[in-house]
Amino acid sequence: MRIGIMGGTFDPIHHGHLILARDALDALDLHKLIFVPNHRSPHKPSAVTAPAELRAAMVRAAVMGEEGFAMDPVETLRGGASYAIDTVLHLRALHPEADFFYLIGEDNLAQLHTWRRVDELHHLVQWVVMARGAEGPPHPYITLHQRRIDISATEIRERIAKGQSIRYLVPGKVREIIEKHQLYREVLSS
């Protein structure tokens, strides 16, 4: 079994995340791609985000019924700083025979050496770099060239704070959660 892992803050999850995940699912011939919303990024400890349980609910709503997509709330339930190594070990315990592909943005490459127990991670997963341009920094990992999708969580939060529509930027069920809980009425730092 080939399983992809896409972690992140997902504040909020949007169609850009879902399109790139679908592209990765197809390009890597994955059986499943698991979205893992974090509780708190160890690389952005002072970032203010929507509550972890609501970000997890938005991810769950976004992937529900989507073939090949799943969500694991392990990091939001664990609390504290979210470390990839803990999540990968959790997923390997659930799927001991699987090959894991950990998707990271090209912008994360420069910090990859700072990830907790990264040497161990190198033996547990195959890194997949979601590259934005044709020429990025050299690296030994699988590279998927992203299509140009100009949607960002920051823009979505700003639009909500300004009272502007986010229709077509996020799935309808995600928009319902945002509206129900009145998220992002004030612009949050990223």
Side-chain angles (χ1 to χ4, degrees), residues 166-187:
I166 59 167
R167 187 179 177 125
Y168 310 117
L169 298 176
V170 299
K173 296 285 186 191
V174 171
R175 195 174 73 240
E176 289 173 15
I177 292 169
I178 290 169
E179 290 170 357
K180 178 181 177 183
H181 295 279
Q182 298 186 351
L183 299 174
Y184 313 119
R185 298 294 179 207
E186 296 178 19
V187 178

mmCIF file of all heavy atoms in Angstrom, residues 166-187:
data_model
loop_
_atom_site.group_PDB
_atom_site.id
_atom_site.type_symbol
_atom_site.label_atom_id
_atom_site.label_comp_id
_atom_site.label_asym_id
_atom_site.label_seq_id
_atom_site.Cartn_x
_atom_site.Cartn_y
_atom_site.Cartn_z
ATOM 1 N N ILE A 166 -15.866 34.151 0.074
ATOM 2 C CA ILE A 166 -14.834 33.122 -0.129
ATOM 3 C C ILE A 166 -15.409 31.954 -0.933
ATOM 4 O O ILE A 166 -14.804 30.895 -1.031
ATOM 5 C CB ILE A 166 -14.234 32.628 1.206
ATOM 6 C CG1 ILE A 166 -15.316 32.049 2.118
ATOM 7 C CG2 ILE A 166 -13.450 33.744 1.890
ATOM 8 C CD1 ILE A 166 -14.778 31.260 3.298
ATOM 9 N N ARG A 167 -16.552 32.185 -1.514
ATOM 10 C CA ARG A 167 -17.168 31.156 -2.354
ATOM 11 C C ARG A 167 -16.196 30.768 -3.457
ATOM 12 O O ARG A 167 -15.518 31.626 -4.006
ATOM 13 C CB ARG A 167 -18.473 31.675 -2.935
ATOM 14 C CG ARG A 167 -19.247 30.635 -3.663
ATOM 15 C CD ARG A 167 -20.543 31.203 -4.193
ATOM 16 N NE ARG A 167 -21.222 30.171 -4.950
ATOM 17 C CZ ARG A 167 -22.454 29.778 -4.717
ATOM 18 N NH1 ARG A 167 -23.150 30.355 -3.766
ATOM 19 N NH2 ARG A 167 -22.996 28.828 -5.441
ATOM 20 N N TYR A 168 -16.115 29.512 -3.772
ATOM 21 C CA TYR A 168 -15.218 28.932 -4.778
ATOM 22 C C TYR A 168 -13.768 28.832 -4.305
ATOM 23 O O TYR A 168 -12.948 28.239 -4.986
ATOM 24 C CB TYR A 168 -15.274 29.659 -6.128
ATOM 25 C CG TYR A 168 -16.676 29.858 -6.632
ATOM 26 C CD1 TYR A 168 -17.200 31.128 -6.818
ATOM 27 C CD2 TYR A 168 -17.497 28.756 -6.900
ATOM 28 C CE1 TYR A 168 -18.493 31.312 -7.272
ATOM 29 C CE2 TYR A 168 -18.801 28.943 -7.349
ATOM 30 C CZ TYR A 168 -19.290 30.213 -7.531
ATOM 31 O OH TYR A 168 -20.579 30.387 -7.972
ATOM 32 N N LEU A 169 -13.420 29.398 -3.161
ATOM 33 C CA LEU A 169 -12.060 29.275 -2.635
ATOM 34 C C LEU A 169 -11.949 28.092 -1.673
ATOM 35 O O LEU A 169 -10.892 27.484 -1.562
ATOM 36 C CB LEU A 169 -11.624 30.569 -1.930
ATOM 37 C CG LEU A 169 -11.564 31.821 -2.806
ATOM 38 C CD1 LEU A 169 -11.221 33.045 -1.964
ATOM 39 C CD2 LEU A 169 -10.561 31.641 -3.933
ATOM 40 N N VAL A 170 -13.040 27.809 -0.975
ATOM 41 C CA VAL A 170 -13.081 26.683 -0.034
ATOM 42 C C VAL A 170 -14.313 25.839 -0.337
ATOM 43 O O VAL A 170 -15.300 26.346 -0.887
ATOM 44 C CB VAL A 170 -13.116 27.158 1.448
ATOM 45 C CG1 VAL A 170 -11.892 27.969 1.811
ATOM 46 C CG2 VAL A 170 -14.390 27.922 1.742
ATOM 47 N N PRO A 171 -14.304 24.552 0.018
ATOM 48 C CA PRO A 171 -15.513 23.740 -0.144
ATOM 49 C C PRO A 171 -16.668 24.321 0.670
ATOM 50 O O PRO A 171 -16.462 24.950 1.720
ATOM 51 C CB PRO A 171 -15.086 22.369 0.405
ATOM 52 C CG PRO A 171 -13.603 22.343 0.252
ATOM 53 C CD PRO A 171 -13.164 23.768 0.498
ATOM 54 N N GLY A 172 -17.877 24.100 0.189
ATOM 55 C CA GLY A 172 -19.066 24.636 0.857
ATOM 56 C C GLY A 172 -19.167 24.242 2.320
ATOM 57 O O GLY A 172 -19.532 25.067 3.170
ATOM 58 N N LYS A 173 -18.838 22.993 2.650
ATOM 59 C CA LYS A 173 -18.919 22.529 4.049
ATOM 60 C C LYS A 173 -17.898 23.254 4.931
ATOM 61 O O LYS A 173 -18.150 23.491 6.107
ATOM 62 C CB LYS A 173 -18.698 21.014 4.143
ATOM 63 C CG LYS A 173 -19.762 20.203 3.454
ATOM 64 C CD LYS A 173 -21.030 20.188 4.255
ATOM 65 C CE LYS A 173 -22.037 19.253 3.614
ATOM 66 N NZ LYS A 173 -23.357 19.385 4.201
ATOM 67 N N VAL A 174 -16.748 23.609 4.367
ATOM 68 C CA VAL A 174 -15.740 24.378 5.119
ATOM 69 C C VAL A 174 -16.273 25.789 5.365
ATOM 70 O O VAL A 174 -16.163 26.322 6.477
ATOM 71 C CB VAL A 174 -14.395 24.404 4.358
ATOM 72 C CG1 VAL A 174 -13.413 25.372 5.014
ATOM 73 C CG2 VAL A 174 -13.810 23.000 4.286
ATOM 74 N N ARG A 175 -16.868 26.376 4.345
ATOM 75 C CA ARG A 175 -17.450 27.723 4.486
ATOM 76 C C ARG A 175 -18.527 27.732 5.568
ATOM 77 O O ARG A 175 -18.613 28.666 6.367
ATOM 78 C CB ARG A 175 -17.998 28.193 3.143
ATOM 79 C CG ARG A 175 -18.283 29.684 3.126
ATOM 80 C CD ARG A 175 -18.694 30.202 1.751
ATOM 81 N NE ARG A 175 -20.038 29.765 1.426
ATOM 82 C CZ ARG A 175 -20.360 29.019 0.372
ATOM 83 N NH1 ARG A 175 -19.444 28.596 -0.468
ATOM 84 N NH2 ARG A 175 -21.608 28.661 0.158
ATOM 85 N N GLU A 176 -19.323 26.663 5.635
ATOM 86 C CA GLU A 176 -20.373 26.573 6.661
ATOM 87 C C GLU A 176 -19.762 26.566 8.066
ATOM 88 O O GLU A 176 -20.297 27.227 8.975
ATOM 89 C CB GLU A 176 -21.213 25.312 6.445
ATOM 90 C CG GLU A 176 -22.107 25.382 5.229
ATOM 91 C CD GLU A 176 -22.814 24.053 4.943
ATOM 92 O OE1 GLU A 176 -22.839 23.159 5.826
ATOM 93 O OE2 GLU A 176 -23.331 23.915 3.818
ATOM 94 N N ILE A 177 -18.681 25.836 8.271
ATOM 95 C CA ILE A 177 -18.028 25.794 9.585
ATOM 96 C C ILE A 177 -17.470 27.174 9.934
ATOM 97 O O ILE A 177 -17.613 27.643 11.062
ATOM 98 C CB ILE A 177 -16.914 24.718 9.608
ATOM 99 C CG1 ILE A 177 -17.537 23.321 9.516
ATOM 100 C CG2 ILE A 177 -16.050 24.846 10.871
ATOM 101 C CD1 ILE A 177 -16.539 22.202 9.269
ATOM 102 N N ILE A 178 -16.846 27.810 8.966
ATOM 103 C CA ILE A 178 -16.291 29.155 9.188
ATOM 104 C C ILE A 178 -17.400 30.112 9.599
ATOM 105 O O ILE A 178 -17.246 30.870 10.567
ATOM 106 C CB ILE A 178 -15.560 29.658 7.922
ATOM 107 C CG1 ILE A 178 -14.270 28.850 7.701
ATOM 108 C CG2 ILE A 178 -15.267 31.157 8.028
ATOM 109 C CD1 ILE A 178 -13.608 29.091 6.349
ATOM 110 N N GLU A 179 -18.513 30.069 8.894
ATOM 111 C CA GLU A 179 -19.628 30.976 9.205
ATOM 112 C C GLU A 179 -20.270 30.638 10.547
ATOM 113 O O GLU A 179 -20.541 31.531 11.357
ATOM 114 C CB GLU A 179 -20.665 30.927 8.075
ATOM 115 C CG GLU A 179 -20.162 31.560 6.797
ATOM 116 C CD GLU A 179 -21.068 31.321 5.591
ATOM 117 O OE1 GLU A 179 -22.090 30.602 5.725
ATOM 118 O OE2 GLU A 179 -20.732 31.843 4.510
ATOM 119 N N LYS A 180 -20.486 29.346 10.807
ATOM 120 C CA LYS A 180 -21.123 28.928 12.056
ATOM 121 C C LYS A 180 -20.320 29.383 13.271
ATOM 122 O O LYS A 180 -20.879 29.812 14.275
ATOM 123 C CB LYS A 180 -21.288 27.411 12.076
ATOM 124 C CG LYS A 180 -21.893 26.883 13.362
ATOM 125 C CD LYS A 180 -22.009 25.374 13.357
ATOM 126 C CE LYS A 180 -22.549 24.879 14.692
ATOM 127 N NZ LYS A 180 -22.605 23.422 14.743
ATOM 128 N N HIS A 181 -18.998 29.271 13.190
ATOM 129 C CA HIS A 181 -18.136 29.599 14.336
ATOM 130 C C HIS A 181 -17.542 31.003 14.236
ATOM 131 O O HIS A 181 -16.714 31.377 15.066
ATOM 132 C CB HIS A 181 -17.031 28.552 14.477
ATOM 133 C CG HIS A 181 -17.575 27.201 14.806
ATOM 134 N ND1 HIS A 181 -17.931 26.832 16.081
ATOM 135 C CD2 HIS A 181 -17.855 26.139 14.011
ATOM 136 C CE1 HIS A 181 -18.403 25.594 16.061
ATOM 137 N NE2 HIS A 181 -18.369 25.154 14.825
ATOM 138 N N GLN A 182 -17.976 31.743 13.228
ATOM 139 C CA GLN A 182 -17.535 33.130 13.020
ATOM 140 C C GLN A 182 -16.007 33.249 13.067
ATOM 141 O O GLN A 182 -15.459 34.141 13.727
ATOM 142 C CB GLN A 182 -18.201 34.060 14.027
ATOM 143 C CG GLN A 182 -19.703 34.068 13.871
ATOM 144 C CD GLN A 182 -20.394 35.088 14.758
ATOM 145 O OE1 GLN A 182 -19.767 35.697 15.638
ATOM 146 N NE2 GLN A 182 -21.665 35.299 14.526
ATOM 147 N N LEU A 183 -15.349 32.337 12.347
ATOM 148 C CA LEU A 183 -13.886 32.339 12.292
ATOM 149 C C LEU A 183 -13.372 33.460 11.394
ATOM 150 O O LEU A 183 -14.034 33.852 10.448
ATOM 151 C CB LEU A 183 -13.375 30.995 11.773
ATOM 152 C CG LEU A 183 -13.726 29.775 12.612
ATOM 153 C CD1 LEU A 183 -13.287 28.497 11.918
ATOM 154 C CD2 LEU A 183 -13.068 29.875 13.980
ATOM 155 N N TYR A 184 -12.200 33.935 11.709
ATOM 156 C CA TYR A 184 -11.418 34.871 10.889
ATOM 157 C C TYR A 184 -12.095 36.237 10.732
ATOM 158 O O TYR A 184 -11.810 36.948 9.783
ATOM 159 C CB TYR A 184 -11.123 34.266 9.508
ATOM 160 C CG TYR A 184 -10.616 32.857 9.556
ATOM 161 C CD1 TYR A 184 -11.315 31.823 8.952
ATOM 162 C CD2 TYR A 184 -9.449 32.546 10.258
ATOM 163 C CE1 TYR A 184 -10.867 30.518 9.018
ATOM 164 C CE2 TYR A 184 -8.980 31.237 10.340
ATOM 165 C CZ TYR A 184 -9.696 30.228 9.716
ATOM 166 O OH TYR A 184 -9.250 28.940 9.775
ATOM 167 N N ARG A 185 -12.934 36.612 11.654
ATOM 168 C CA ARG A 185 -13.562 37.933 11.566
ATOM 169 C C ARG A 185 -12.517 39.034 11.724
ATOM 170 O O ARG A 185 -12.701 40.131 11.251
ATOM 171 C CB ARG A 185 -14.647 38.100 12.629
ATOM 172 C CG ARG A 185 -15.792 37.129 12.498
ATOM 173 C CD ARG A 185 -16.568 37.364 11.239
ATOM 174 N NE ARG A 185 -17.648 36.398 11.128
ATOM 175 C CZ ARG A 185 -18.158 36.002 9.987
ATOM 176 N NH1 ARG A 185 -17.688 36.474 8.848
ATOM 177 N NH2 ARG A 185 -19.131 35.134 9.952
ATOM 178 N N GLU A 186 -11.432 38.707 12.414
ATOM 179 C CA GLU A 186 -10.284 39.613 12.516
ATOM 180 C C GLU A 186 -9.119 38.908 11.839
ATOM 181 O O GLU A 186 -8.968 37.697 11.959
ATOM 182 C CB GLU A 186 -9.943 39.894 13.973
ATOM 183 C CG GLU A 186 -11.048 40.623 14.718
ATOM 184 C CD GLU A 186 -10.675 40.844 16.173
ATOM 185 O OE1 GLU A 186 -9.483 40.772 16.521
ATOM 186 O OE2 GLU A 186 -11.610 41.053 16.958
ATOM 187 N N VAL A 187 -8.277 39.635 11.143
ATOM 188 C CA VAL A 187 -7.157 39.031 10.442
ATOM 189 C C VAL A 187 -6.172 38.464 11.467
ATOM 190 O O VAL A 187 -5.767 39.151 12.403
ATOM 191 C CB VAL A 187 -6.445 40.062 9.529
ATOM 192 C CG1 VAL A 187 -5.245 39.421 8.845
ATOM 193 C CG2 VAL A 187 -7.421 40.608 8.497
#
